[in-house]
């Protein structure tokens, strides 16, 4: 079928459509489907990466141990008045 024949066939169909109605059509569906697929792949990747993260906190005694060592070293850490 040639393009001119397709236009002659589609012209009467176009007159039946409501001129005030706008639809996304096939291109809109394809764009939406591609974006939905991309979001799905990103969520799948994020889930895999979040599974690798270690959420264990450092022990609470570590800051107290460093405070004790700082209290025991003030004489050696103080500058000498020579």
């Amino acid at each position: 079928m040639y393009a001119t024949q397709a236009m002659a066939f589609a012209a009467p169909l176009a007159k039946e459509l409501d001129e005030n109605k706008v639809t996304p059509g096939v291109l809109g569906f394809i764009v939406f489907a591609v974006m939905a697929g991309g979001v799905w792949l990103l969520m799948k990747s994020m889930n895999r990466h979040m599974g690798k993260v270690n959420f264990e906190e450092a022990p609470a005694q570590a800051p107290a141990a460093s405070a004790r060592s700082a209290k025991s070293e003030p004489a050696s850490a103080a500058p000498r008045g020579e």
Side-chain angles (χ1 to χ4, degrees):
M1 179 182 275
Y2 295 107
T4 54
Q5 290 174 340
M7 290 299 290
F9 178 72
L13 295 176
K15 290 180 183 178
E16 294 175 11
L17 296 176
D18 185 13
E19 294 178 2
N20 296 326
K21 185 178 180 182
V22 179
T23 61
V26 176
L27 180 62
F29 174 75
I30 291 171
V31 169
F32 180 78
V34 168
M35 289 177 65
V39 168
W40 181 75
L41 288 172
L42 284 172
M43 293 295 289
K44 187 175 179 180
S45 174
M46 183 187 71
N47 192 18
R48 188 178 315 124
H49 282 83
M50 291 298 286
K52 294 179 183 178
V53 175
N54 183 8
F55 287 107
E56 293 180 18
E57 294 184 12
Q61 297 172 355
S66 63
R68 280 188 226 137
S69 64
K71 289 181 182 178
S72 64
E73 299 177 13
S76 62
R80 293 184 176 178
E82 292 181 26

